[in-house]
Structure formats: C-alpha cells, structure tokens
Amino acid sequence: MIRVERSLTVATPAPLVAEYLADFAHAVEWDPGTVSCVRVDDGEIDVGTRWRNVSEFRGKRTELTYRLTRLDPGRITLVGQNRTATSTDDFTLHSGPAATTVRYRATIVFHGLAKLASPFLKREFERLGDEVAPELAARLEQLGPG
C-alpha cells in the first residue's frame, strides 16, 4: 500500500470546496497525471456517482472506474478500481473563519503481481503529490470570493 498525504489552506468557503471536489471530473484540472475523467452516469452527484478516469503514470496509461463513496460536508471520498489497483482519494475539510484547510490523502493498493512494485513506486507517488498540492490549491482559490 502507498499513502500520500498533503494539506493546503485556501480562502474559499468549505461548501464551494466540497462541491468542486465531489465532481471528480474536475481531476483533469488539478491532477497532472489525469488525462481524462468523464462521468459515466446521470443525475445529481451523490454517493454512488461514477467516473471513468484515465491517468498516465511513468509513461503508461491506466483506466480506473471511480465511485463517490462518501459525501459529507467535511469529507469526500472517491474510490477507483481496476484489476491491478484500488485507489482512494480522501478529502477532509476544516472550515475556519477566513479559510478552508483541505487534507488530501491518496491511498493506492496494488493487486496480484503489481503488489511487488509498491515499494519501488512510493517515491514517484510522493513526487506526484508534490505536483498535485499547488495545482489543487490554485483551482480551489479560483472558486473563492475575490
């Protein structure tokens, strides 16, 4: 298992942050590894909503089907799966008087023979986390008043 965690603070109200993060199609805007992320069902975004996400990692493309598994005012969780991995993106929001702090935790569990690669990929996922944090912060700041 690989776990990468980052924290960022933005001057955007928590409800706007939550609404943005709950629509995983926005991942193309803040995740440099995401090539495309398209919703595969209709209706309002709620627990159970699904997206087809195509990402590029180390020169290879992979597709996962993500599902929104938790949608609370202070917590959004999405779980993506394919036959080689399960990826969980978990966002915890803490609202302050003038800002929202977002804790982003990505957890990747490899299946089958892919498990053997886990120890060698940790550094690459940490690097990706370093790229995601400022992109996500910039996008969330654009939502805020001002």
Side-chain angles (χ1 to χ4, degrees):
M1 175 173 59
I2 296 172
R3 179 171 287 151
V4 176
E5 187 172 324
R6 298 292 183 271
S7 186
L8 50 108
T9 301
V10 294
T12 303
L16 288 176
V17 171
E19 182 180 342
Y20 179 84
L21 293 174
D23 185 351
F24 202 56
H26 292 130
V28 298
E29 299 172 356
W30 55 264
D31 181 357
T34 296
V35 176
S36 67
C37 192
V38 179
R39 190 163 168 201
V40 296
D41 52 19
D42 297 317
E44 290 197 32
I45 293 174
D46 205 346
V47 171
T49 300
R50 294 175 297 123
W51 293 262
R52 182 175 43 86
N53 179 284
V54 177
S55 294
E56 188 168 314
F57 182 70
R58 299 182 76 192
K60 294 187 179 183
R61 287 191 179 198
T62 187
E63 182 176 316
L64 289 95
T65 299
Y66 273 85
R67 188 170 75 83
L68 183 62
T69 61
R70 183 174 187 164
L71 182 58
D72 297 331
R75 186 121 178 237
I76 296 114
T77 306
L78 299 115
V79 177
Q81 294 183 301
N82 65 16
R83 74 178 177 80
T84 58
T86 299
S87 178
T88 302
D89 288 52
D90 187 56
F91 302 92
T92 304
L93 313 178
H94 296 284
S95 188
T100 301
T101 299
V102 179
R103 186 193 76 200
Y104 170 57
R105 178 183 293 163
T107 306
I108 302 96
V109 177
F110 291 100
H111 310 296
L113 290 176
K115 282 183 189 180
L116 300 173
S118 271
F120 305 104
L121 297 176
K122 173 74 172 158
R123 180 175 283 160
E124 288 291 320
F125 279 102
E126 285 290 342
R127 182 190 56 74
L128 188 58
D130 290 341
E131 292 177 15
V132 164
E135 289 293 328
L136 181 56
R139 292 297 176 175
L140 294 175
E141 284 288 351
Q142 291 175 352
L143 304 174

